[in-house]
Amino acid sequence: MSAQPDRTARLQLILDRDGATCLWCGRAFSAQVRPTTEHVVPRVKGGPSWLENEVAACGRCNGERGHRTPVEWLEECRRRGWPADEDRLARTLEALTEAIARTGGQRRARPYLDGQLRRLRRARDAA
């Protein structure tokens, strides 16, 4: 994969791609609600620092998610009454799957990613 932009540039690209709201709680970013980049597939699970694996999240959601999977955190956000963006999460997971297929590697991230996509599809089918 070619060199990635620095963190500030990546955040701006993510905001341009996804909009200026937190994926998880839906709050609009502002001086009080600052955006952060968050890895959908965490680094500890083999997730790459690629744009396809990053979303914009507020600092609160980024910190509170901890080591929960994206689908677990999506479900927790909904329990809290937050308008978590399931479609944006699905697009991100699918884009990462496509990027890995193009680029190769990411052996540790693949099973985690596949499991999250299956779980998200099951939840959608049940709804």
Side-chain angles (χ1 to χ4, degrees):
M1 181 138 224
S2 61
Q4 289 283 317
D6 68 24
R7 182 178 296 226
T8 302
R10 280 197 327 265
L11 178 58
Q12 188 58 56
L13 288 167
I14 293 163
L15 293 171
D16 292 345
R17 178 190 72 200
D18 296 339
T21 59
C22 177
L23 169 71
W24 307 114
C25 70
R27 293 188 298 170
F29 297 125
S30 66
Q32 291 76 35
V33 180
R34 304 188 63 75
T36 64
T37 57
E38 176 171 77
H39 293 90
V40 176
V41 175
R43 301 282 295 152
V44 298
K45 298 292 185 182
S49 285
W50 298 350
L51 284 171
E52 294 89 352
N53 189 36
E54 295 178 324
V55 294
C58 70
R60 176 188 69 186
C61 287
N62 196 340
E64 286 189 27
R65 177 180 163 202
H67 292 293
R68 288 182 248 202
T69 69
V71 177
E72 284 172 339
W73 185 238
L74 177 80
E75 292 166 353
E76 174 60 24
C77 291
R78 290 199 168 142
R79 276 192 288 279
R80 295 178 183 197
W82 298 346
D85 193 337
E86 181 179 326
D87 291 335
R88 192 185 333 169
L89 176 59
R91 283 192 309 271
T92 301
L93 293 171
E94 289 162 2
L96 180 55
T97 299
E98 291 168 10
I100 290 172
R102 264 192 326 273
T103 308
Q106 308 307 316
R107 286 183 311 191
R108 285 183 54 221
R110 287 179 187 194
Y112 182 93
L113 180 57
D114 291 344
Q116 289 301 291
L117 279 166
R118 276 193 309 277
R119 188 169 174 190
L120 189 58
R121 286 183 192 120
R122 277 197 309 268
R124 284 180 156 186
D125 291 344

